[in-house]
Amino acid sequence: MAMLGTQMDDALKQKLINLVNPNHTLIMKMEKNLLILDQEHENISLDDLRNKIPENEPRIIAYPYHYRDTSGALTSYKILIFVSPDPSPGGCSIRTLMAYAFSVGLVKDAMLTSTSLEILNKNDLTEQWVKNQLAR
């Protein structure tokens, strides 16, 4: 039983299950109590991704992240990023944030990932922030 009746669109679920392209990014949003695909991108940088996210609306992002460490070894992650702005006048409601927060678990299960990050301000979504979060 989903909290607040939150469900995931079947087509979105299939995209998440089949997320094998290491450069494929999915941005998800809620419509009523249904999590749907908002945007799909190939080879998008974090800077470009940040510009695609609305200022005061939550989003859930399935993002492939790759980096080379100091030895030159390539490390790859399938990460889930939950953009959770503070509820504010003109922004989203606490109920909406709760529905998104519940959906994070649905997306993690479909992606088969345990790596999820939460950010309050989309402008903090930088390469350094992601590296710092993954290093924890």
Side-chain angles (χ1 to χ4, degrees):
M1 176 77 179
M3 180 178 164
L4 304 173
T6 305
Q7 297 179 354
M8 183 186 304
D9 176 69
D10 289 336
L12 172 59
K13 188 173 197 169
Q14 281 308 308
K15 281 186 179 285
L16 288 165
I17 289 169
N18 298 320
L19 196 61
V20 291
N21 180 336
N23 299 309
H24 200 81
T25 299
L26 304 175
I27 301 175
M28 295 153 264
K29 69 177 182 178
M30 299 288 298
E31 275 193 2
K32 300 198 184 213
N33 286 331
L34 186 65
L35 187 66
I36 63 167
L37 181 64
D38 181 32
Q39 301 172 44
E40 218 170 329
H41 300 282
E42 293 290 328
N43 299 312
I44 190 168
S45 70
L46 282 170
D47 288 339
D48 289 340
L49 177 62
R50 193 172 48 249
N51 294 328
K52 303 277 185 193
I53 303 168
E55 194 68 43
N56 292 313
E57 294 176 35
R59 287 294 185 269
I60 297 174
I61 303 162
Y63 186 74
Y65 181 71
H66 320 286
Y67 75 93
R68 291 201 183 278
D69 64 21
T70 51
S71 72
L74 182 66
T75 304
S76 295
Y77 293 91
K78 271 197 307 189
I79 59 176
L80 180 148
I81 303 168
F82 174 31
V83 182
S84 172
D86 282 333
S88 61
C92 67
S93 69
I94 297 221
R95 181 178 172 83
T96 299
L97 278 176
M98 287 175 59
Y100 271 90
F102 176 78
S103 297
V104 165
L106 297 175
V107 175
K108 280 173 63 172
D109 290 348
M111 284 175 64
L112 299 175
T113 188
S114 60
T115 309
S116 67
L117 309 175
E118 183 174 351
I119 193 162
L120 301 177
N121 183 331
K122 76 168 196 157
N123 295 317
D124 294 335
L125 184 58
T126 63
E127 186 91 17
Q128 192 58 53
W129 179 83
V130 171
K131 281 184 182 176
N132 291 345
Q133 298 300 306
L134 294 174
R136 290 181 174 195

